């Protein structure tokens, strides 16, 4: 650094440094600035630089460094109090509280010194005339840390009883401490009540609601308020993620993940902050962090993942089991240092209790991507209603296994395949009948899906050998259908035609029963349905072959229904065949756009499966009914069908099926405006997609949907976390570039609401770069415009001007006058903050005025009243007129604001006259709109009044104020009330002043 800076520059440098991220770099800069302050030979400069250094140390991982600058400040105060201004006197007494907490956090500082410091703090506060509230609060912190509960309760009561004054912590911080104490005393509900004003935003500060959100996580879990816990984690972690000084709150989030079945996310959090393992400037927060690390690693080890590589202290690779030992040892060593200083075992007891906490819920889906660690040690409990295959407990004998397998087959249970597999395993070394071996092969084939054709044929041979030609034909029909799935339908259709003729002849002469005949007929019908799908996939849905296939498939389904219909009440399998036949007819009706017939047949299919005790087979058709209902605009019916699908799925649906059904219901609920329930279903969809190993495909889409729903509910931080989690997995190939653009668009909206304007602009610009290749350019223009606004809010005026220019060109090409004019006005405002200055801003505003006037002339000249000759809304002209009025008004405001506060003389007067002329034009334009322009007109009239006053014309100003009062006298509403209030204030200020 060359040359000494002056005091004003020093102050600006300290202010700039204060805005930098917490951490060693900011601390080092504060140290440099203290050196610069000492060169000025101005005591106040040193005082301010020491205060700045103390603040940045306190909010960093180097909190142990703050005692030195404070001791120096205190000595300077005692020796030369006249060197301190009012603000620095207040700051010095304020940071006494930091010293108390800071001493507690450093186990090398003796307890006697801390107690002595409390007395010194009390004495100095009394001398300065401050309340004892802050002193009693500090005493409470000491007593709570020591585990002296009686003293803590006394100090707590005294703290709350003392008057609040300028030394009291802000409301948000006080409520955090009060709620923390209630939670420590097992009063979670009371804690959350105390925290409510902070959580709702009534009280905030630089570190709240950050810590309240973190502290609330376990109380919410313990109370079973899981949705709130999830929301507080997503919202709160976003706040603490970048703040180095918040290791304790960060640890609370890691702990929450460890205790809610989100161990994988907890590991991700650890990986984000490697320095937290080793930063030693704040031993107390390090103890908290390492205790949570031990808790997490023990949890992973218990799940059978002790050998998994995990984030840990730098310098070596760690497994979960190794880090568990290290973290526990370091935690207890740190706790022992505190206990040695305090003379109590309290800190170690609390640390052990924290490390040994048991999970509070098995799994709380968070919505963000985080795959659950696989573990043989964690199995999902089987639902009580799910049928159990024999052999699940003590191994029964082979006859019992056979009986159970046949029972489950008769019920058409999904467990039948596994039951027959158990028979197969138990049969090794045993002599089985041919019939037994046929059934084993048959069910093994069912378990192999499209690869089961050969086994079905083997089963057919065994059924023939066993003397059951009907079942042999049924097995061959199953083989033909499976072959069609993997190799096409041509051969399969020929085979099923032969089987169909054979089984009908066999049934006619009494050689087989209805069940076997129905099995062949359903195989034939399924194969023809697959042929319909095959032709549609090949793009031949409208051709003659497809029409013929559709007719044959329908005839096959109706023939099956005619066969089994009279016997539905006799046999579960036959009831199932009838329901499936109705489902086929429903599907064919849907393809023919006959929604009424489709609903009739599919509803009958659902009823048939449910009545037969086979609700899991109804799921697919419930889902299709939901889709048809949405196409017909019946959201209520769609919701009922989707919920029925989830209910009927029961325990048998695979994770991917659950994901799809929950996502369908989410989309239906969202379309119906039920945003909260829709978000819950999207959250479930994301969870089940992750469980299915589809986090990057359906999971990403579910998170995309969830983020959009959270955004619509104005839950900006949660939405941002979810959308950021979805974005890396969204691809144009899988999800379409529209999904990527929409996700970035939503992220920009969220980040703007959170004040992260630069980041919002980045997402909008990247989305615009995708949309620029689309045939329709409205989205491209809108995204460029939004990015420009965000860049302006971020203070990047030059980049904002460029983005507005890009947006303006696009609006012009689209013929969108409103977008063009707004971009020109915004560019004008941006120009005033760049080297281009007021002249460029004037030119842009004039261009905007001309664009409005040109559009109005074109509309007036058009035979149909529009510039394009196409029909326009009745209010199109009025909207253009209003746009012109707003442009004149903003032109006036822009010129008026160009006059600096200390500017006087002719140049200032000329600028104000110019501004008044523009605002007067705006008034005339708004007046032409009649009642629709009253709000804008009166606002412009008041602006003109203030300009008249600034020009030394109080009579003219008063006249404008009275005009506004006259117009608004009979009007109700917030705007009219605000206008009357401002006009009366103007009158009170200008009446009686000399001038005019």
């Amino acid at each position: 650094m060359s040359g000494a800076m002056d005091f004003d520059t020093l102050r600006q440098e300290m202010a700039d440094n204060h805005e930098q991220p917490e951490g060693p770099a900011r601390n080092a800069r504060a140290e440099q600035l203290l050196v610069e302050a000492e060169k000025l030979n101005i005591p106040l400069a040193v005082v301010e630089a020491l205060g700045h250094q103390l603040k940045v140390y306190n909010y960093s991982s180097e909190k142990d460094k703050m005692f030195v600058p404070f001791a120096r400040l205190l000595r300077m105060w005692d020796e030369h109090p006249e060197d301190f201004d009012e603000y620095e006197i207040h700051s010095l007494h304020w940071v006494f509280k930091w010293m108390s907490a800071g001493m507690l956090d450093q186990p090398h500082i003796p307890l006697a010194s801390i107690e002595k410091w409390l007395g010194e703090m009390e004495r100095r506060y009394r001398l300065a005339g401050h309340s004892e509230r802050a002193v009693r609060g500090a005493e409470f912190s000491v007593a709570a840390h020591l585990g002296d509960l009686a003293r803590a309760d006394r100090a707590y009561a005294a703290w709350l009883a003392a008057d609040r004054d300028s030394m009291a912590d802000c409301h948000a911080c006080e409520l955090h401490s009060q709620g923390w104490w209630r939670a420590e005393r097992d009063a979670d509900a009371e804690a959350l009540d105390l925290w409510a004003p902070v959580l709702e935003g009534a009280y905030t500060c630089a570190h709240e609601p950050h810590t309240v959100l973190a502290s609330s996580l376990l109380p919410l879990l313990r109370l079973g308020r899981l949705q709130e816990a999830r929301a507080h984690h997503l919202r709160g972690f976003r706040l603490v993620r970048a703040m180095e000084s918040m290791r304790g709150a960060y640890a609370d989030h890691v702990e929450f993940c460890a205790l809610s079945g989100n161990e994988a996310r907890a590991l991700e959090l650890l990986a984000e902050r490697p320095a937290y393992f080793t930063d030693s400037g704040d031993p107390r927060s390090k103890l908290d962090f390492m205790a949570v690390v031990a808790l997490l690693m023990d949890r992973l080890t218990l799940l059978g993942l002790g050998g998994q590589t995990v984030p840990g202290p730098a310098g070596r690779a760690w497994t979960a089991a190794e880090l568990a030992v290290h973290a526990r040892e370091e935690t207890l060593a740190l706790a022992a240092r505190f206990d040695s200083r305090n003379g109590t075992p309290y800190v170690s007891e609390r640390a052990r209790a924290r490390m040994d906490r048991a999970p509070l819920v098995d799994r709380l889906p968070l919505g963000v991507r985080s795959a659950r660690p696989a573990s043989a040690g964690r199995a999902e409990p089987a639902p009580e209603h799910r049928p159990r295959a024999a052999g699940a407990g003590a191994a029964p004998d082979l006859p019992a296994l056979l009986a159970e397998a046949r029972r489950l087959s008769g019920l058409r249970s999904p467990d039948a395949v596994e039951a027959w597999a158990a028979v197969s395993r138990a049969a090794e070394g045993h002599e089985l009948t041919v019939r037994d071996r046929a059934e084993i092969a048959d069910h093994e084939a069912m378990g192999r899906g499209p690869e089961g054709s050969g086994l079905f044929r083997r089963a057919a041979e065994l059924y023939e050998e066993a003397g059951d030609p009907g079942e042999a034909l049924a097995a061959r029909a199953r083989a033909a259908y499976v072959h069609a799935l993997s190799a096409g339908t041509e051969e399969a259709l020929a085979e099923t035609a032969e089987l169909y003729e054979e089984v009908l002849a066999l049934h006619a002469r009494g050689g087989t029963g209805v069940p076997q005949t129905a099995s062949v007929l359903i195989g034939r019908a399924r194969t023809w349905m697959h042929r319909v799908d095959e032709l549609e996939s090949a793009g031949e849905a409208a051709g003659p072959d497809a029409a013929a296939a559709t007719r044959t498939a329908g005839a096959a389904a109706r023939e099956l229904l005619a066969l089994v219909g009279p016997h539905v009440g006799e046999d579960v399998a036959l009831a199932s065949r009838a329901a499936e036949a109705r489902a086929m007819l429903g599907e064919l009706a849907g393809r023919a756009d006959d929604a009424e017939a489709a609903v009739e047949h599919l509803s009958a299919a659902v009823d048939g499966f449910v009545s037969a005790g086979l609700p899991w087979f109804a799921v697919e058709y419930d889902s299709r009914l939901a889709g048809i209902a949405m196409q017909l605009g019946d959201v209520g019916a769609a919701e009922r069908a989707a919920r029925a699908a989830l209910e009927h799925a029961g325990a048998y649906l695979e994770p991917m099926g659950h994901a799809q059904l929950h996502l369908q219901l989410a989309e239906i609920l969202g379309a119906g405006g039920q945003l909260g329930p829709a978000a819950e279903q999207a959250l479930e969809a994301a969870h089940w997609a992750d469980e299915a190993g589809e986090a990057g495909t359906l999971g990403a889409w579910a998170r995309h949907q969830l983020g959009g729903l959270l955004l619509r509910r104005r839950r900006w931080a949660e939405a941002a976390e979810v959308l950021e989690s979805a974005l890396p997995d969204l691809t144009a190939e899988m999800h379409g570039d529209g999904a990527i653009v929409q996700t970035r668009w939503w992220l920009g909206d969220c980040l703007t609401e959170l004040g992260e304007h630069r980041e919002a602009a980045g997402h909008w610009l990247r989305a615009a770069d995708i949309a620029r290749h689309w045939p329709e350019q409205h989205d491209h223009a809108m995204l460029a415009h939004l990015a420009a606004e965000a860049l302006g809010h971020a203070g990047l005026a030059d980049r904002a001007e460029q983005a507005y220019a890009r947006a303006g060109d696009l609006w012009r090409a689209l013929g969108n006058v409103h977008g063009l004019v707004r971009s020109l006005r915004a560019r004008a405002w941006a120009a005033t903050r760049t080297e281009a200055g007021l002249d460029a801003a004037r030119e842009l505003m004039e261009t905007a005025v001309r664009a409005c006037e040109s559009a109005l002339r074109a509309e007036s000249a058009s035979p149909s009243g529009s510039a394009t000759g196409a029909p326009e809304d009745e209010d199109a002209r009025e909207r253009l007129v209003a746009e012109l009025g707003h442009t004149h008004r903003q032109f006036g405001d822009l010129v008026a604001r160009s006059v600096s506060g200390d500017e006087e003389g002719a140049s200032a007067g000329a600028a104000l006259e110019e501004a008044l002329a523009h605002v007067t034009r705006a008034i005339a334009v708004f007046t032409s709109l009649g009642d629709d322009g009253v709000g804008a007109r009166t606002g412009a009239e008041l602006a003109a009044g203030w300009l008249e006053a600034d020009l030394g014309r109080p009579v003219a100003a008063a006249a404008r104020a009275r005009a506004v009062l006259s117009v608004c006298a009979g009007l109700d509403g917030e705007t009219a009330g605000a206008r009357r209030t401002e006009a009366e204030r103007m009158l009170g200020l200008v009446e009686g002043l000399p001038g005019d």
Side-chain angles (χ1 to χ4, degrees):
M1 188 179 296
S2 60
M5 59 180 68
D6 59 29
F7 198 2
D8 287 341
T9 304
L10 174 71
R11 282 174 162 165
Q12 185 59 53
E13 289 288 327
M14 289 190 293
D16 292 344
N17 193 46
H18 182 75
E19 296 303 316
Q20 296 302 306
E22 296 175 352
R26 186 171 75 156
N27 295 353
R29 180 60 177 152
E31 293 163 4
Q32 293 173 351
L33 292 173
L34 175 59
V35 173
E36 292 298 315
E38 290 168 335
K39 295 177 183 177
L40 295 176
N41 199 27
I42 301 174
L44 182 59
V46 176
V47 169
E48 291 186 10
L50 285 167
H52 173 64
Q53 190 181 81
L54 195 155
K55 290 182 178 75
V56 299
Y57 283 155
N58 185 61
Y59 295 112
S60 78
S61 61
E62 299 178 310
K63 293 183 75 169
D64 55 334
K65 290 185 175 182
M66 68 182 179
F67 299 105
V68 173
F70 181 75
R72 185 176 173 186
L73 271 173
L74 194 58
R75 184 172 64 252
M76 291 176 70
W77 166 251
D78 288 339
E79 294 174 356
H80 296 285
E82 69 277 7
D83 291 341
F84 289 69
D85 62 15
E86 184 177 350
Y87 177 81
E88 293 303 329
I89 293 170
H90 178 274
S91 295
L92 177 69
H93 286 81
W94 182 267
V95 297
F96 266 84
K97 300 179 294 183
W98 294 359
M99 294 305 109
S100 297
M103 289 179 177
L104 278 179
D105 295 344
Q106 305 294 331
H108 69 277
I109 298 179
L111 183 60
S113 298
I114 296 172
E115 295 286 5
K116 181 180 178 181
W117 182 256
L118 275 176
E120 180 70 6
M121 180 180 174
E122 184 171 7
R123 182 183 72 82
R124 288 180 180 267
Y125 271 42
R126 188 182 305 114
L127 288 173
H130 296 307
S131 163
E132 68 170 9
R133 188 177 183 94
V135 177
R136 298 285 76 84
E139 182 187 6
F140 160 73
S141 297
V142 172
H145 173 69
L146 298 175
D148 187 344
L149 303 186
R151 180 186 179 192
D153 281 336
R154 290 194 302 273
Y156 181 88
W159 167 34
L160 298 190
D163 292 335
R164 282 187 58 82
D165 67 351
S166 62
M167 284 298 111
D169 283 342
C170 75
H171 283 289
C173 289
E174 283 204 335
L175 288 172
H176 172 246
S177 297
Q178 292 163 22
W180 171 83
W181 185 238
R182 300 317 304 149
E184 286 290 304
R185 305 307 297 273
D186 299 322
D188 290 335
E190 292 179 32
L192 290 162
D193 287 343
L194 282 166
W195 288 329
V198 183
L199 295 169
E200 293 165 2
Y203 301 119
T204 61
C205 70
H207 288 76
E208 294 297 352
H210 313 44
T211 56
V212 163
L213 286 163
S215 296
S216 71
L217 295 172
L218 261 59
L220 287 167
L221 286 181
R222 287 193 290 258
L223 292 171
R225 292 160 62 173
L226 303 185
Q227 292 185 30
E228 292 172 77
R230 175 195 306 116
H232 287 198
H233 168 64
L234 294 178
R235 177 183 165 202
F237 181 68
R238 189 174 190 84
L239 293 173
V240 304
R241 170 182 266 147
M243 301 181 73
E244 185 195 50
S245 65
M246 303 201 75
R247 179 162 56 181
Y250 200 98
D252 289 341
H253 285 279
V254 176
E255 179 180 37
F256 162 79
C257 292
L259 298 179
S260 63
N262 288 286
E263 298 89 355
R265 179 164 171 83
L267 290 175
E268 292 171 2
L269 269 55
L270 293 187
E272 286 191 29
R273 278 291 185 180
Y276 277 171
F277 288 98
T278 53
D279 284 343
S280 58
D282 183 6
R284 194 173 179 186
S285 72
K286 185 177 183 182
L287 188 156
D288 289 336
F289 183 77
M290 295 308 292
V292 165
V293 171
L295 165 69
L296 174 61
M297 297 306 139
D298 282 346
R299 180 82 189 124
L300 292 171
T301 302
L302 184 65
L303 293 173
L305 298 169
Q308 178 173 319
T309 301
V310 295
R316 58 162 290 185
W318 294 90
T319 65
E322 291 167 343
L323 187 54
V325 173
H326 170 80
R328 183 171 288 267
E329 289 176 350
E330 186 158 359
T331 300
L332 293 176
L334 280 167
R337 290 176 59 199
F338 281 103
D339 286 346
S340 177
R341 189 268 305 273
N342 298 342
T344 73
Y346 187 67
V347 174
S348 291
E349 290 171 354
R350 293 184 73 247
R352 285 193 179 90
R354 188 170 198 178
M355 289 188 289
D356 295 340
R357 277 177 177 153
L360 294 168
V361 293
D362 178 65
R363 172 71 164 174
L364 175 59
L366 300 177
V368 293
R369 181 178 184 179
S370 188
R372 186 176 192 170
S375 169
R378 186 206 317 241
E380 296 294 340
E384 292 181 5
H385 66 273
R386 181 165 179 162
R388 289 173 56 87
D397 57 18
L398 185 56
L401 288 172
L402 278 165
E404 177 66 4
R406 288 186 173 120
R407 183 185 73 82
L408 293 173
S409 293
L411 294 173
R412 297 209 67 205
S413 168
D415 288 328
V417 171
E418 175 53 34
W420 280 103
V423 169
S424 179
R425 291 191 295 270
E428 293 181 9
H430 291 75
E431 188 70 27
L432 293 175
T433 68
V434 175
R435 177 72 188 202
D436 294 339
R437 287 187 284 126
E439 291 181 84
I440 290 173
D442 204 0
H443 286 86
E444 184 180 347
M446 294 176 191
R448 291 194 182 185
E451 299 176 357
S453 180
L455 268 173
F456 277 129
R457 297 192 188 283
R458 174 58 182 157
E461 292 172 358
L462 291 169
Y463 282 128
E464 285 280 7
E465 186 179 343
D468 191 341
E471 203 62 63
L473 291 172
R476 286 173 59 194
R478 289 190 279 275
Y481 173 62
V482 168
H483 180 75
L485 295 178
S486 58
T489 58
E490 188 173 345
E491 291 182 16
L493 288 173
E495 183 175 4
T496 55
E498 294 177 5
L499 295 171
Y500 167 73
E501 297 294 341
E502 288 183 41
V503 80
L504 288 183
L506 186 63
H507 180 252
R509 61 177 182 265
T512 193
V514 172
Q516 291 76 19
T517 307
S519 292
V520 175
L521 265 59
I522 201 164
R524 172 174 175 262
R526 286 171 179 169
T527 305
W528 274 108
M529 290 295 294
H530 185 62
R531 175 61 176 165
V532 174
D533 290 337
E534 195 175 63
L535 291 168
E536 184 174 303
S537 299
E540 301 177 28
D545 289 346
T550 299
R551 287 193 299 273
T552 306
R558 284 188 288 274
E559 187 173 356
L560 171 62
L561 192 59
L563 172 71
V564 300
H567 308 282
V568 162
E570 303 171 8
D571 183 87
V572 169
L574 293 178
S576 173
R577 302 302 190 210
E580 188 173 350
R582 293 299 295 266
M584 291 176 181
L585 293 172
E587 185 176 337
L588 292 170
R591 290 170 186 262
D593 295 325
D594 187 347
E596 183 177 348
V599 169
E600 178 187 351
H601 287 301
L602 291 173
S603 298
V606 168
D607 291 343
F609 283 125
V610 173
S611 298
L614 307 171
W616 46 87
F617 288 125
V619 171
E620 178 183 354
Y621 310 112
D622 284 317
S623 180
R624 292 189 186 180
L625 283 167
I628 293 171
M630 285 299 292
Q631 291 173 9
L632 296 174
D634 191 341
V635 177
E639 180 185 347
R640 289 190 294 274
R643 290 193 182 280
L646 281 166
E647 179 185 351
H648 292 152
Y652 293 113
L653 197 62
E654 294 296 322
M656 192 60 172
H658 277 290
Q660 292 165 336
L661 291 179
H662 282 292
L663 188 56
Q664 182 184 37
L665 181 54
E667 292 170 347
I668 291 167
L669 293 169
Q674 299 183 61
L675 302 183
E680 293 173 17
Q681 294 299 323
L683 178 71
E684 286 295 320
H687 160 63
W688 284 108
D690 290 350
E691 292 287 302
E694 295 292 338
T697 53
L698 187 66
W701 181 252
R703 275 180 271 279
H704 164 83
Q705 298 283 52
L706 173 59
L709 290 163
L710 290 169
L711 176 141
R712 289 170 66 187
R713 299 184 68 197
R714 307 179 69 80
R715 292 166 67 166
W716 314 113
E718 296 168 62
E721 282 290 307
V722 171
L723 292 168
E724 286 172 348
S725 177
L727 193 55
D729 290 321
L730 292 172
T731 65
E733 296 75 18
M734 175 62 67
H735 306 95
D737 55 11
I740 300 172
V741 168
Q742 183 65 80
T743 299
R744 290 197 182 277
W745 196 323
W746 283 337
L747 260 175
D749 291 340
C750 293
L751 296 174
T752 295
E753 294 291 340
L754 296 170
E756 300 175 36
H757 299 292
R758 187 169 190 158
E759 294 77 7
H763 284 293
W764 280 329
L765 286 172
R766 285 191 284 274
D769 284 342
I770 298 173
R772 66 194 291 265
H773 301 292
W774 293 354
E776 216 300 309
Q777 287 289 284
H778 181 273
D779 285 345
H780 182 195
M782 193 69 215
L783 286 162
H785 201 121
L786 289 170
E789 289 181 357
L791 290 166
H793 288 306
L796 302 171
D798 289 327
R799 291 184 60 192
E801 201 281 336
Q802 294 170 8
Y804 277 126
R806 174 183 177 181
D809 290 343
L810 290 165
W811 290 129
R812 185 180 289 108
L814 287 166
N816 188 317
V817 177
H818 299 281
L820 170 62
V821 168
R822 290 168 189 175
S823 67
L824 287 166
R825 293 198 307 244
R827 283 181 68 191
W829 285 104
T832 63
R833 300 188 293 275
T834 68
E835 293 181 2
L838 183 60
D839 289 342
R842 280 194 179 100
E843 184 177 344
L844 288 162
M845 281 293 189
E846 287 166 356
T847 303
V849 169
R850 289 196 297 271
C852 286
E853 292 173 340
S854 175
L856 282 166
R857 286 194 299 272
E859 176 153 337
S860 298
S862 171
S864 62
S866 76
T868 63
E872 292 282 343
D873 295 333
E874 293 181 3
D875 64 347
R877 179 177 174 79
E878 288 190 359
R879 288 180 63 232
L880 282 170
V881 171
E883 203 74 78
L884 176 61
H886 289 303
T887 303
H888 281 305
R889 168 66 194 274
Q890 288 197 35
F891 202 162
D893 290 345
L894 182 146
V895 174
R897 292 185 192 182
S898 71
V899 180
S900 62
D902 55 357
E903 188 175 350
E904 298 179 359
S907 62
L912 292 174
E913 290 285 7
E914 179 189 352
L916 180 60
H918 289 301
V919 176
T920 301
R921 291 190 196 102
I923 294 169
V925 172
F926 290 136
T927 300
S928 72
L929 293 173
D931 291 344
D932 291 338
V934 166
R937 170 194 162 190
T938 52
E941 193 81 65
L942 289 168
W946 292 117
L947 288 168
E948 301 274 21
D950 289 340
L951 286 164
R953 300 198 283 262
V955 174
R960 291 186 183 277
R962 291 192 185 95
V964 170
L965 288 172
S966 175
V967 170
C968 295
L971 301 179
D972 296 324
E974 185 177 341
T975 299
R979 297 286 191 265
R980 285 193 293 268
T981 299
E982 186 177 351
E984 289 164 355
R985 184 164 67 91
M986 184 182 294
L987 279 176
L989 290 172
V990 303
E991 283 188 323
L993 291 177
D996 290 86

